[in-house]
Every structure is written in C-alpha cells, then in structure tokens.
Amino acid sequence: MNLPSQEKMRNLLLRAASPEAFATIAPYMQAIELPLRLTLVEQDEPNQTICFLERGLASVVAITAEDEMVEVGHIGFEGATGLHTALHATQSPSKTFMQGEGLGYLVPVSVVTSALESIPEFRALILRYIHSCNIQLTYTALANARYSIYERLARWLLMCQDRLGDDLGLTHQFLSIMLGVRRSGITDQLHLLEGIGAIRSTRGNIRILNRSKLEDIAGGCYGVAEREYERLIGQRLGF
C-alpha cells in the first residue's frame, strides 16, 4: 500500500509521532472507509485494532443497562480509537462508533503495543493524548452538571466543527441522544442559535455561521481541553 508521507498525514498523532515510530507502524497501516454508524470499539469486547482517523468523527458513548446512551468523548483527525489498550486494558465498557463518515488507518493492537514498549517518545505522546481525552471528559462532566442545554449544545457544535468543518451532517434526533436530552429541547435550542445567526439548521445538516457567538455561549465549558491538546501534542486542533 502506498501511504502518504508522514508530514502529509491528516491525523495529528501520526504527524506528531517520531519518524522511528511512524516507520514502525506504517507497514501495518490499512486504509479503511469509515461509514456512518460503523462500530470501532464494541462494548465489553477486546478490540484487535486501533484506528487513527484521517477524516470523520467518532463518538465514545456510555451505555446503560437499558441500552440508553450518552456521548462522553469526541475523536476526529486529532486522535485514535481503542487506545485503552495502551493502558493494558484489553476491553472497555464504553462503545465507540462513527457519527460522521470518514477515512482512517487500522493498525493491529499488537503493533502499536510493541511500538509503545520499544519507543519511549511514542509512548509519551500516546499517554499525553490519553490525558487530553481525560480532560475532554472532565469538561463534559462539568458541562452536564453546571451548564444549560443551550450552552452544552454550543460546546458540542464547536467540538464537531473542530473535527468536521462548518457543515455538520447531524439530525436533531441524533443530537438529542448524544446530549442526553429530549429531541424537542434540542430543536428549541437550535432555533435560538439560528435566531442569533450562529448556525443554519436544515434537515440532516447544521452549518456553522458564526463561531465566535458559539464560543461566547459555551463559555468556560469549551476551550480548556482543546488548549491542553495543543500544549501536549504540539498540533493545533481545528480546521
């Protein structure tokens, strides 16, 4: 397989990796289309591959015993799925699936594990990325506990824009599931955001028109995790 050179990789982790680490995993990288709803990490099942996203958006969701779910993490071209394996956990009670179609590279867990063990710089990079994911989760918990649906929705749209660009192919129903609120509540809040000119919402698509307005609304629940990622990884998150 003819891979792009490391500096032309869209995935920021692959770009930030040392040349030695990239050369170690590159022969095992398998390009894969990532259609909508594709599961990359199944709940409570060992995963055999790690996926470095080049395009698209994956959601990490927590699932109740009644199969209700709420999103706890976003993964786009800045990261990879299945990296609980880097912490010597073969499986996870959360699920990761594509909520925005894209493209990625699958690498066997065994190959990544070997690189983590033999290349200290790569191990440090991946552990820093995992820490940045934990900070994202921390601020999701803060947003859910202390911020309104309006503010949380603004944060969520900003996080999607960081990974997908201005056009977000998302339905109101899906938004309600991801944020853990009623669909009617999401529709009402989207209308408010449209009213101030922050977005344009049509069937199955939301277009970001004014990012600064969304940032003002999201306030302190957005930005800390993104700055922490940039500080730790040395790559800027966003389009």
Side-chain angles (χ1 to χ4, degrees), residues 29 31 49 51 97 161 199 203:
M29 290 167 55
T49 57
C51 185
F97 67 97
Q161 186 189 29
I199 66 167
R203 184 176 180 84

Side-chain angles (χ1 to χ4, degrees), residues 18 20-25 28 88 110-124:
S18 68
E20 179 186 4
F22 185 78
T24 298
I25 66 175
Y28 303 93
H88 301 280
S110 59
V111 171
V112 175
T113 299
S114 178
L116 291 170
E117 292 173 349
S118 62
I119 306 172
E121 297 88 350
F122 186 58
R123 180 167 65 250

Side-chain angles (χ1 to χ4, degrees), residues 24-77:
T24 298
I25 66 175
Y28 303 93
M29 290 167 55
Q30 176 189 352
I32 181 174
E33 294 288 338
L34 301 173
L36 196 65
R37 304 291 190 269
L38 175 69
T39 297
L40 292 169
V41 176
E42 192 61 79
Q43 183 186 26
D44 294 326
E45 291 186 12
N47 55 298
Q48 305 302 316
T49 57
I50 288 167
C51 185
F52 293 86
L53 273 69
E54 287 276 287
R55 288 189 286 104
L57 178 63
S59 282
V60 183
V61 295
I63 306 174
T64 70
E66 293 75 30
D67 285 331
E68 295 179 338
M69 67 177 68
V70 65
E71 185 180 71
V72 295
H74 269 198
I75 302 171
F77 67 92

Side-chain angles (χ1 to χ4, degrees), residues 179-198:
L179 290 171
V181 298
R182 292 180 181 275
R183 177 178 174 175
S184 58
I186 289 293
T187 300
D188 291 343
Q189 303 308 311
L190 287 171
H191 287 161
L192 291 175
L193 291 174
E194 280 193 287
I196 65 169

Side-chain angles (χ1 to χ4, degrees), residues 158-199:
L158 287 165
M159 292 172 67
C160 287
Q161 186 189 29
D162 287 341
R163 293 160 176 85
L164 296 174
D166 292 341
D167 283 296
L168 315 175
L170 306 166
T171 66
H172 295 197
Q173 178 66 25
F174 190 72
L175 281 165
S176 70
I177 294 171
M178 291 298 96
L179 290 171
V181 298
R182 292 180 181 275
R183 177 178 174 175
S184 58
I186 289 293
T187 300
D188 291 343
Q189 303 308 311
L190 287 171
H191 287 161
L192 291 175
L193 291 174
E194 280 193 287
I196 65 169
I199 66 167

Side-chain angles (χ1 to χ4, degrees), residues 123-170:
R123 180 167 65 250
L125 173 70
I126 295 303
L127 291 177
R128 290 196 300 270
Y129 170 66
I130 292 171
H131 170 70
S132 76
C133 291
N134 288 337
I135 299 303
Q136 183 192 116
L137 175 59
T138 298
Y139 277 81
T140 296
L142 174 66
N144 290 345
R146 296 298 184 187
Y147 285 75
S148 68
I149 298 174
Y150 188 55
E151 294 163 330
R152 289 166 54 201
L153 177 59
R155 172 184 183 259
W156 199 85
L157 292 174
L158 287 165
M159 292 172 67
C160 287
Q161 186 189 29
D162 287 341
R163 293 160 176 85
L164 296 174
D166 292 341
D167 283 296
L168 315 175
L170 306 166

Side-chain angles (χ1 to χ4, degrees), residues 208-221:
I208 308 299
L209 300 178
N210 192 316
R211 181 179 175 88
S212 63
K213 288 183 178 180
L214 292 177
E215 290 176 340
D216 288 343
I217 294 165
C221 68

